Amino acid sequence: MTVHANTAAELLHQNREAHPQKAAYLCGEDVLTHQALAVEAARFANLLRARGVGPGDRVVLALPDSFGSVKAFLGAMLLSACPVPVHAALPREDVAFILMDSGASALIAPEDSPAMQAARDVSGLACVLPCSLGGPWGLGDFSGGFAAAPPSPDAPGFMLYSSGSTGRPKGVPHAQADLLEPARGWGGGVLGIRERDVFFSASKMSFAYGLISSVGLPLSVGATAALLPGKPGPAELFAAITRYRPTLFFCVPTLYAMLLRSYCPAQGDDLSSLRLCLSAGEALPEGLCRQWALQTGVELLDSMGSTEAFNLFLSNRPSQVRCGSSGQLVPGWEARLVDEAGADVPDGVPGDLRARGAGTCPAYWNRPDKTAESMLPGGWLRTGDMYVRESGFYFHRGRSDDMLKVGAHFVSPVQVEEALREHPAVLECAVAAMLVDGLVRPCAHVVPAAGAEPGTRLAAELLRFARERLEPQQCPVRVLFVDELPRTSTGKVQRFRLRQL
Amino acid sequence: MTTSIDDLRALLVEAGVKPELARKLDASAPLLRQGVDSMDFPSFCALLEERLGVSLDDEQALSLKSLEDFARFIGER
């Protein structure tokens, strides 16, 4: 069996030797050099070891993107533990689920955060560490040297959680070395990343896309990345781009639409530093792709990847952008489009996309049922996305299941329906995709309860009701009242018949 | 078709924007720069399509930023 060196140790060493005083990360007014990053990550590894964390242990990081989150992620990797970055704003019960599901030994989160409260709901945590944006208190007391061992090939190197159709997120473990796979085909072959690039991602490190663009890609070439801790709106994103002058900007279609709708060069929005804008997470509408380039003068490249792949396997290429398409195969990847029987379909016929390449997740964490559905024999990943291929370009044609991809998040209609059914005026409901402004949004199809009066007032009331109970991306943007829901002969609701795409 | 700025303010409230915010929005400045957020905005667009029968899938609709832009766009339909 091949023994791989410790990926974090290699990356940190290589950058510290090549350009110690260069900025690795920018956050707020502060700069973290490659030298300081190497020292601080080593300190973090020593701190975790002193607190009882060992190789293979899962370390859940519920941290905003910041110096603290990068130090923690790389520190845990140096120790050959398994960092599990989750969204900093994840509700308490979701963090508790992930702590239990992953069998975590450690939780690192800001003091007084919902994640810290979740630590009280689970047992077995050896280490609960409060951590501010800069890092945990007392980190400087630990040695800045750490002799990292190669990771065990059997233990996960890092793990991300991906939403599931039933609402139970699935752990997606990856080997340490997978962190660098995106730098080969997508980073090197498509984006042409180089040391003098400055990366800036609106997607957080708890998403594969954010971890790739804020950690994997920039560290692989010794570049600089800017980090934004909060939930960025258009104004904050423009301010950050003007301030940090990134060359590459990574964002999702929903936010690109909002950015375009707020773009005011006359008010000081300055995108002149950007050489490319990248989009992933959900299909980029054709008009948005074109208008972005027209209005800002910067090319917007749509790509398609997944947490399971920890990579982008379809992507447009600079100067060859085809708006409305997720692009062409990324070097090193293979793709198949298949019909329901699993047979390849010809160009022009929609098929279910399957992808194969290096660095994919071999199995979900403790979920053999879901693994059998998605990780197919021969190393193929089932994506659940329908595509049409024409002359090497891939065009998204929706999902092959009931899941919605909204604002780059997977949304299960089941959870939204459950929340709405708690309202006394709702007898039955089904949630399906509708296009607003070219982007997929949840639409609620509601059968009103006896005595309830369907109309504008009730629709507005249900939208508000949903917002009090659900995550932003899960909230229906529209309520339609119907007499009955379409069903199969066995009574199963046919959500696909309600889609308005 | 004509729609007044005040009609649009009322639709924003229906889409979830707080009435006091909707009242004081500068009609000539981008909505998304004045506190209308990523949840309100798609609901507002969906309501516009439903009530006024306009299609915002039109590529031109992507340059609509302010209340005045929306009113003008609807007026031209």
Side-chain angles (χ1 to χ4, degrees), chain A residues 281-322:
Chain A
E282 63 184 310
L284 179 71
E286 183 177 346
L288 179 53
C289 168
R290 207 164 22 230
Q291 283 299 317
W292 179 270
L294 274 175
Q295 294 188 35
T296 68
V298 189
E299 273 192 314
L300 177 50
L301 275 55
D302 192 18
S303 311
M304 157 75 182
S306 73
T307 310
E308 290 80 352
F310 193 72
N311 216 328
L312 288 301
F313 40 80
L314 299 177
S315 182
N316 277 282
R317 284 158 170 71
S319 317
Q320 300 170 42
V321 172
R322 186 112 172 239

Side-chain angles (χ1 to χ4, degrees), chain B:
Chain B
M1 192 193 315
T2 55
T3 302
S4 73
I5 300 284
D6 282 339
D7 293 341
L8 294 176
R9 287 185 206 273
L11 277 185
L12 278 168
V13 173
E14 216 177 297
V17 175
K18 293 209 165 62
E20 52 277 24
L21 174 62
R23 223 174 7 250
K24 68 171 199 230
L25 287 170
D26 176 350
S28 64
L31 290 166
L32 290 163
R33 280 249 150 118
Q34 302 181 74
V36 175
D37 67 21
S38 59
M39 292 172 73
D40 307 327
F41 201 83
S43 295
F44 172 64
C45 291
L47 276 173
L48 275 181
E49 294 191 328
E50 180 183 338
R51 297 295 163 72
L52 307 176
V54 293
S55 168
L56 295 175
D57 290 342
D58 193 322
E59 195 168 321
Q60 290 167 12
L62 281 165
S63 16
L64 306 178
K65 295 172 183 166
S66 65
L67 285 174
E68 286 175 358
D69 293 341
F70 276 99
R72 199 179 314 117
F73 179 79
I74 295 160
E76 287 163 2
R77 300 289 118 167

Side-chain angles (χ1 to χ4, degrees), chain A residues 366-383:
Chain A
N366 294 338
R367 296 294 296 274
D369 54 333
K370 292 289 165 191
T371 298
E373 281 173 23
S374 300
M375 285 87 182
L376 306 175
W380 290 96
L381 287 177
R382 186 202 302 265
T383 64

